[in-house]
Amino acid sequence: MQIAALETFLAIAETGSFHAAARALNITQTAVSARIKALETALGVALFERGPAGTRLSLAGQRFRPHAEQMLRTWSFVTAEMAAGPGARGALRLGAQLSLWDALLVDMAVWLEQEQGVVPFTLNYDHALDMGVAVAERLVDLALVHDRPTQPGIEVTDLPDERLTLVSDRPLTLGQDEMPLFINLEFCAEYDRLWQQVMPPGSRQHIVLGNAAMGLRYLMRRGGVGYFPDTMVGGPLRRGRLHAVRGAPEMRLACRAIHLRDNPGLGQIETVIIGLRKLRGGR
């Protein structure tokens, strides 16, 4: 089992030295070196470089670090579920591919608690993680995605599209007024294609903020224009803090819930899908 080696690898990456990692883990430096040697032998790469400035991750070590973190998270889920005993209901792992649906996952967690009682769950907002792969590899039980996954064995439930409105911090008319800084959320290829069709070619100065909540806060504090989900901008629009850009078409992005057909938590997953349909019903 390489779990101890993964913990040791991450401790060195965090502390910057084998000696400091040994202290943090309360083991000998010899044990630290042995664990890393075994891990490097198994991977066939050197994970660290040593020099006058101390120990640092090699390029291979930098690539390996997020995988090590993910493997430890998965191991933590597994040990917690096994410790719960036979027949116990494990934590349901929910994820989202796009930052569009972070708030929806939170609403889903609240709905589960209100409708089903206390339900253990974890929410994954790692937007860089391919959620199709995460579901296929059983890192996540159910995920919200835009693109239809290609991995075998995945069940797809189509939910109502996410509707986005082009909003600005001041009244504007598309094609008549000069467009201010565009807040580009880089959700997906479809999003990029649509906004580039709408924004005038001469008004494409933009800044990339790949998180919807961060992007909206930036727009409201700094000013600008951007496509945001109606569920986020409805309140500011009603209060006059934001303005829908006149003449701009709405944008719609597909929203899909995905899970493995043979997931042992299928009963819980089906309950979540019922909740998602209810929560999305008015969207």
Side-chain angles (χ1 to χ4, degrees):
M1 181 61 68
Q2 297 279 11
I3 299 302
L6 294 175
E7 293 173 338
T8 304
F9 165 77
L10 292 173
I12 299 170
E14 182 69 26
T15 62
S17 80
F18 280 53
H19 182 65
R23 287 202 313 270
L25 296 172
N26 196 29
I27 59 177
T28 67
Q29 191 166 337
T30 302
V32 168
S33 299
R35 289 178 182 180
I36 296 304
K37 182 177 180 180
L39 189 57
E40 290 178 328
T41 299
L43 293 171
V45 296
L47 296 172
F48 294 99
E49 297 174 352
R50 299 195 190 194
T55 301
R56 64 179 184 179
L57 289 171
S58 66
L59 290 177
Q62 293 173 32
R63 294 199 308 272
F64 181 63
R65 185 173 187 173
H67 297 295
E69 292 170 343
Q70 183 63 64
M71 283 187 282
L72 281 184
R73 285 197 293 269
T74 302
W75 181 248
S76 176
F77 294 149
V78 170
T79 54
E81 187 166 333
M82 293 300 99
R89 182 170 55 184
L92 193 63
R93 297 159 297 176
L94 309 177
Q97 184 72 69
L98 303 179
S99 69
L100 270 174
W101 299 306
D102 291 358
L104 178 58
L105 281 189
V106 172
D107 291 347
M108 184 68 252
V110 173
W111 183 89
L112 277 173
E113 290 179 318
Q114 292 174 341
E115 297 293 324
Q116 304 295 316
V118 178
V119 177
F121 53 82
T122 59
L123 305 182
N124 190 319
Y125 299 98
D126 187 351
H127 306 120
L129 181 65
D130 185 323
M131 285 294 165
V133 173
V135 168
E137 295 183 354
R138 304 182 188 274
L139 301 176
V140 173
D141 295 305
L142 179 142
L144 296 173
V145 300
H146 168 66
D147 296 316
R148 190 175 293 274
T150 58
Q151 292 81 6
I154 292 183
E155 186 75 22
V156 179
T157 301
D158 291 311
L159 299 169
D161 292 345
E162 190 71 48
R163 189 174 60 201
L164 291 83
T165 297
L166 187 65
V167 298
S168 177
D169 63 305
R170 57 185 183 274
L172 292 171
T173 300
L174 189 69
Q176 295 183 18
D177 299 314
E178 181 178 352
M179 291 292 107
L181 179 75
F182 178 72
I183 312 301
N184 183 358
L185 300 179
E186 278 199 336
F187 285 136
C188 57
E190 178 71 2
Y191 165 88
D192 289 340
R193 184 184 68 80
L194 291 172
W195 81 255
Q196 289 175 18
Q197 288 179 350
V198 172
M199 294 296 290
S203 304
R204 290 190 180 170
Q205 177 193 13
H206 68 275
I207 184 171
V208 175
L209 288 172
N211 180 283
M214 289 174 58
L216 184 59
R217 183 174 178 84
Y218 184 89
L219 188 154
M220 295 183 70
R221 290 180 64 88
R222 184 262 181 212
V225 63
Y227 267 105
F228 289 88
D230 288 0
T231 50
M232 291 185 66
V233 298
L237 284 171
R238 288 190 295 272
R239 294 191 294 271
R241 296 193 61 193
L242 289 176
H243 304 269
V245 176
R246 293 183 292 269
E250 68 177 26
M251 181 187 298
R252 287 182 176 270
L253 296 179
C255 180
R256 299 179 170 100
I258 62 173
H259 67 275
L260 281 177
R261 297 187 187 99
D262 64 351
N263 189 301
L266 191 58
Q268 287 177 267
I269 289 172
E270 290 173 345
T271 298
V272 170
I273 291 175
I274 290 172
L276 286 170
R277 284 176 169 152
K278 288 184 177 180
L279 291 170
R280 300 281 302 170
R283 301 186 183 200

